Amino acid sequence: MSETSARLLALLSLLQARRDWPGQLLAERLEVSPRTVRRDVDRLRDLGYPVRATKGPDGGYRLDAGADLPPLLFDDDQAIAVAVALQTATTTVTGIEEGALRALATVRQVMPARLRQRVDALQVTTVDRYANRRTTVDSDQLIAIGTAVRAHEVLRFDYAAPGAATDEWVPPRKVEPHHLVTWGGRWYLVGWDLDRNDWRTFRVDRMTPRTPTGPRFTPRELPAPDVATYISAKFHGQDQNPCRGEAILQAPASLIAQYAGRGSIVEEVTPTSCRLVLTAWSWTGLAATFGMFECDLEFVGPQELKDAATQLAARYQEAAS
């Protein structure tokens, strides 16, 4: 009995490792006869695993998706990866907190002692460098968008763009969705905007998908080798302005971070002051941006920023008088 159980686990591991397995190759890997493989496949089916026989010159087997989730078999590295992923799963998605905790408890309970000790040593505390502007999205909303991406179906959604009037009716956006990505603590959808005939990125937390989805489409090629390159170039381009300066602001970091904008760096100095780093296309523009914060401030540098602030102050004084 123990030999049969061990062989069933080995067979299940092989079926999970690749899509199709010729029956003869499975028999050779397990060092049994093809008839024994057939019997073991029937045992797995009785346990709830949807193993399908495939046709062809050699014949074979495939582990398909089923209506119910059967027991899964993980190797050591997979088990550790699942445990760590579950600990960090709720950083940007809401609605899965309880499920993630229950799944982590389930995985940990069935782990052998050697793996349980390794998982317990990996108590992860997520410290998000973008916590001051991190947003969460609803899991159902994320699944709806992801389903449209996978099915290559036009997505219609309402979009709460910044600065738009709340009582103003705006027609829904129509987009060919291509990729869901995370960047700087936020979820974004990359897609081809059918109304603007161009590539666009949309913050998922501002999207409200409409149903039903539109017709299917043939995916276009991104204007970059891959989505990571596209997103990196798009967002880094906003932060690579030629002028960069910093100042000490007499206001809490938590308050300044709400208005500092993308590409800024906000660091707490004291509970009532913070260090702010900004970029801009010109030194005068940079000095003016610092002046928008309604608090006392002290320019740290560089000298070009201080000179621009002096010139701007003289210009404002002359204009006011």
Side-chain angles (χ1 to χ4, degrees):
M1 179 62 71
S2 61
E3 180 181 350
T4 301
S5 299
R7 193 173 63 247
L8 286 178
L9 290 175
L11 174 59
L12 181 58
S13 179
L14 291 173
L15 290 172
Q16 290 179 164
R18 55 184 280 184
R19 181 170 176 82
D20 293 298
W21 278 95
Q24 183 61 41
L25 182 57
L26 278 177
E28 293 175 1
R29 294 289 295 270
L30 297 172
E31 299 181 352
V32 295
S33 66
R35 181 179 178 182
T36 300
V37 171
R38 289 194 295 270
R39 288 201 302 264
D40 287 346
V41 166
D42 289 337
R43 292 189 180 99
L44 288 178
R45 289 169 177 162
D46 292 339
L47 293 173
Y49 293 95
V51 183
R52 182 163 62 92
T54 59
K55 298 180 180 181
D58 299 327
Y61 301 96
R62 173 186 299 172
L63 183 61
D64 284 341
D68 299 314
L69 183 65
L72 302 177
L73 181 66
F74 295 122
D75 60 29
D76 289 8
D77 292 338
Q78 289 174 322
I80 296 295
V82 168
V84 173
L86 288 172
Q87 291 188 58
T88 59
T90 60
T91 54
T92 58
V93 182
T94 60
I96 64 171
E97 295 87 351
E98 182 182 351
L101 290 175
R102 288 192 290 109
L104 179 60
T106 301
V107 171
R108 184 186 179 280
Q109 183 178 359
V110 298
M111 281 182 174
R114 70 179 190 281
L115 288 184
R116 193 179 303 118
Q117 292 175 0
R118 294 176 62 186
V119 168
D120 290 344
L122 286 172
Q123 295 299 318
V124 180
T125 300
T126 303
V127 179
D128 190 353
R129 62 175 295 193
Y130 300 100
N132 56 62
R133 58 188 175 93
R134 179 171 60 86
T135 56
T136 57
V137 297
D138 183 79
S139 56
D140 292 337
Q141 179 183 6
L142 206 59
I143 290 173
I145 297 172
T147 300
V149 172
R150 181 179 179 84
H152 304 314
E153 294 177 344
V154 172
L155 186 64
R156 299 183 306 122
F157 57 90
D158 297 318
Y159 192 64
T166 56
D167 58 347
E168 178 184 356
W169 183 85
V170 179
R173 307 293 288 267
K174 292 184 295 182
V175 171
E176 295 178 355
H178 283 256
H179 296 84
L180 271 171
V181 299
T182 58
W183 178 273
R186 290 175 178 153
W187 285 91
Y188 292 90
L189 171 69
V190 178
W192 178 265
D193 193 316
L194 293 172
D195 294 324
R196 291 156 179 78
N197 201 35
D198 195 8
W199 289 98
R200 291 288 191 273
T201 57
F202 304 91
R203 277 180 47 176
V204 173
D205 60 296
R206 293 176 177 168
M207 296 172 58
T208 304
R210 290 194 175 193
T211 57
T213 54
R216 294 176 62 88
F217 63 89
T218 300
R220 307 170 189 262
E221 290 189 6
L222 278 169
D226 52 59
V227 67
T229 303
Y230 173 78
I231 289 293
S232 180
K234 181 177 180 62
F235 288 147
H236 272 308
Q238 298 179 6
D239 297 339
Q240 292 179 343
N241 292 324
C243 302
R244 178 187 178 95
E246 61 180 283
I248 301 298
L249 276 61
Q250 298 304 315
S254 58
L255 176 62
I256 297 300
Q258 299 179 38
Y259 308 102
R262 188 177 303 279
S264 62
I265 299 175
V266 183
E267 296 179 354
E268 184 178 80
V269 177
T270 69
T272 59
S273 65
C274 64
R275 171 178 171 266
L276 175 63
V277 179
L278 295 176
T279 63
W281 284 104
S282 69
W283 292 111
T284 303
L286 185 58
T289 303
F290 276 109
M292 293 172 60
F293 296 92
E294 295 185 1
C295 63
D296 294 335
L297 73 159
E298 176 187 352
F299 288 115
V300 176
Q303 187 60 45
E304 290 86 349
L305 173 60
K306 297 180 179 180
D307 294 341
T310 301
Q311 296 171 8
L312 192 61
R315 186 182 306 166
Y316 281 165
Q317 184 175 7
E318 181 178 354
S321 61

